[in-house]
Structures are given as C-alpha cells and as structure tokens.
Amino acid sequence: MEALILEPSLYTVKAILILDNDGDRLFAKYYDDTYPSVKEQKAFEKNIFNKTHRTDSEIALLEGLTVVYKSSIDLYFYVIGSSYENELMLMA
C-alpha cells in the first residue's frame, strides 16, 4: 500500500477556537469551508468541547480532523487541522 504524501502547504490550520469554561465561543476563525454556516460551526464547537473538556490529553481525532488543545484556568484553546496533519506542527 502506497503512503499518502501531501504537498507542503501554508494552509495546515483549518480553524482556531477559543471557548470559555461552558463551551461557548469567545473567538473562532475558520480558514476553509468545512463548516460553512454558523450553526454547523457552533455544533462542531459544542462537540469538541464535550469530548475534550474532561480529559488531560492534548490531542484528539474528531470528525476526521486533528484537534490540538490546551486549557488555561477557564479558557480552552483549540487548533484544528486535517487528519493527515502533524500534531507537533499544529501545536507550534
């Protein structure tokens, strides 16, 4: 089976999110149209928050996307990339 090799791109980040302690949006910037409407974006954000706010890990695979996140007191910071994206690059 051949390995999938992607061309290098500056567009490795699909979205950046900052959510509060209740999972409500404080800031969201989507760089592609994976979730074109605000309703779909907010549903995705609730899903991410529900899956990650109780865990101590920093990486999640959700809906075919790589999600790198950190929490700081009452804020949650998320960087979202494709499923083939390197987690270390997203974290940096």
Side-chain angles (χ1 to χ4, degrees), residues 35-91:
Y35 301 99
S37 71
V38 174
K39 182 178 179 182
E40 291 174 334
Q41 291 173 0
K42 289 200 175 203
F44 174 68
E45 293 163 14
K46 282 291 185 191
N47 190 14
I48 280 182
F49 182 76
N50 289 336
K51 300 282 185 194
T52 61
H53 79 280
R54 292 188 186 131
T55 63
D56 291 331
S57 61
E58 297 177 346
I59 300 169
L61 296 173
L62 184 67
E63 296 183 18
L65 300 170
T66 302
V67 179
V68 178
Y69 59 96
K70 287 234 183 231
S71 64
S72 175
I73 303 173
D74 61 348
L75 295 177
Y76 292 84
F77 300 90
Y78 297 91
V79 177
I80 296 140
S82 72
S83 61
Y84 301 108
E85 199 56 55
N86 185 333
E87 296 88 2
L88 295 175
M89 292 297 292
L90 290 174
M91 184 64 80

Side-chain angles (χ1 to χ4, degrees), residues 1-45:
M1 192 173 202
E2 293 182 26
L4 179 64
I5 299 175
L6 298 175
E7 291 293 321
S9 172
L10 295 174
Y11 303 104
T12 58
V13 175
K14 291 187 173 282
I16 295 176
L17 308 172
I18 300 175
L19 305 178
D20 67 6
N21 203 25
D22 298 323
D24 296 324
R25 176 192 287 191
L26 297 176
F27 173 81
K29 176 67 177 169
Y30 289 83
Y31 296 102
D32 67 357
D33 54 351
T34 304
Y35 301 99
S37 71
V38 174
K39 182 178 179 182
E40 291 174 334
Q41 291 173 0
K42 289 200 175 203
F44 174 68
E45 293 163 14

